[in-house]
Amino acid sequence: GAVVSQHPSRVICKSGTSVKIECRSLDFQATTMFWYRQFPKQSLMLMATSNEGSKATYEQGVEKDKFLINHASLTLSTLTVTSAHPEDSSFYICSARVHARDGYTFGSGTRLTVV
Amino acid sequence: AQSVTQLGSHVSVSEGALVLLRCNYSSSVPPYLFWYVQYPNQGLQLLLKYTSAATLVKGINGFEAEFKKSETSFHLTKPSAHMSDAAEYFCAVSPGGATNKLIFGTGTLLAVQP
């Protein structure tokens, strides 16, 4: 089945630095990928929709200058958390969809801790 | 607008007992409905999906769900719980057609007692 590979699985960074998270579709082309954020014991919050070759679409309340999304190819989307602060610490998950009826395939997530 | 409500943020069952996780949806168009399971510090795994075919959907690990339009429900069940079923479960809705967004419920944490 469709596989989405997400790296790194865990990252600890210092406050003020930037962190890049990669999401790759391994055996299919993903023209659209989705980035979610999940706080402890809470549901997934859609942050943005990443579109190959065009600008990402951000959900209301998500700072596009802080969470930079790049989708330069049909198999790779990246999320960069710029000037990270402790409140950005969270679990970030990407996903992609092969076909409308197939549901979404999720990456394994990235645990970001900003110290 | 589409939305999903999961009743019960925590459900505890005994091993071997019936599992019932509730999900109600709101959608102005025929929806696609999904159940996902999440183990700690992992991504989400698709359990099953409803895409306007059979109303009783069978998924992996012995789970199934029934789409009831009259009740706008898509409850998840499993006849006999295993210890390995302990996890977080999310119900999600996606409007049919070209819309891409997947909207999640708040999740239900299932605990299985020995």
Side-chain angles (χ1 to χ4, degrees):
Chain A
V3 176
V4 171
S5 176
Q6 184 174 346
H7 294 281
S9 58
R10 293 177 178 270
V11 58
I12 301 173
C13 71
K14 292 184 178 181
S15 185
T17 61
S18 295
V19 173
K20 179 183 287 187
I21 303 170
E22 292 189 348
C23 186
R24 293 180 184 274
S25 58
L26 296 186
D27 48 4
F28 67 100
Q29 294 181 331
T31 55
T32 303
M33 288 190 180
F34 306 90
W35 287 94
Y36 294 85
R37 182 174 181 175
Q38 185 179 31
F39 291 101
K41 302 187 185 303
Q42 293 189 27
S43 188
L44 283 75
M45 180 190 75
L46 180 64
M47 299 174 64
T49 301
S50 167
N51 303 296
E52 188 269 334
S54 64
K55 292 183 179 180
T57 303
Y58 290 82
E59 295 299 304
Q60 189 173 6
V62 178
E63 299 175 61
K64 61 181 181 180
D65 293 331
K66 180 167 188 61
F67 299 99
L68 299 179
I69 291 174
N70 183 278
H71 196 152
S73 77
L74 287 171
T75 58
L76 175 64
S77 176
T78 61
L79 168 67
T80 301
V81 182
T82 63
S83 186
H85 291 286
E87 56 265 31
D88 298 324
S89 299
S90 191
F91 194 57
Y92 294 87
I93 310 175
C94 65
S95 75
R97 185 178 70 177
V98 181
H99 301 293
R101 293 172 176 253
D102 288 343
Y104 296 71
T105 299
F106 287 81
S108 54
T110 298
R111 173 71 62 191
L112 170 63
T113 303
V114 184
V115 298
Chain B
Q2 288 73 33
S3 66
V4 174
T5 302
Q6 289 184 244
L7 295 177
S9 58
H10 291 78
V11 171
S12 182
V13 301
S14 299
E15 191 174 18
L18 171 71
V19 176
L20 171 60
L21 304 182
R22 300 178 184 275
C23 173
N24 288 88
Y25 70 91
S26 171
S27 178
S28 57
V29 297
Y32 295 161
L33 292 160
F34 308 87
W35 274 99
Y36 287 88
V37 60
Q38 184 182 32
Y39 296 97
N41 291 311
Q42 294 187 28
L44 276 68
Q45 180 182 10
L46 180 66
L47 280 176
L48 48 80
K49 62 183 184 287
Y50 167 77
T51 57
S52 73
T55 56
L56 182 62
V57 181
K58 294 187 182 297
I60 62 172
N61 301 339
F63 285 94
E64 63 180 38
E66 185 173 7
F67 173 72
K68 292 186 177 180
K69 184 178 180 180
S70 61
E71 299 178 6
T72 61
S73 69
F74 191 57
H75 301 331
L76 181 71
T77 61
K78 181 173 180 177
S80 177
H82 294 169
M83 297 296 290
S84 59
D85 294 327
E88 185 93 29
Y89 292 81
F90 293 97
C91 182
V93 63
S94 176
T99 304
N100 284 324
K101 290 185 179 181
L102 191 61
I103 299 166
F104 285 90
T106 50
T108 298
L109 182 62
L110 175 65
V112 181
Q113 308 299 328

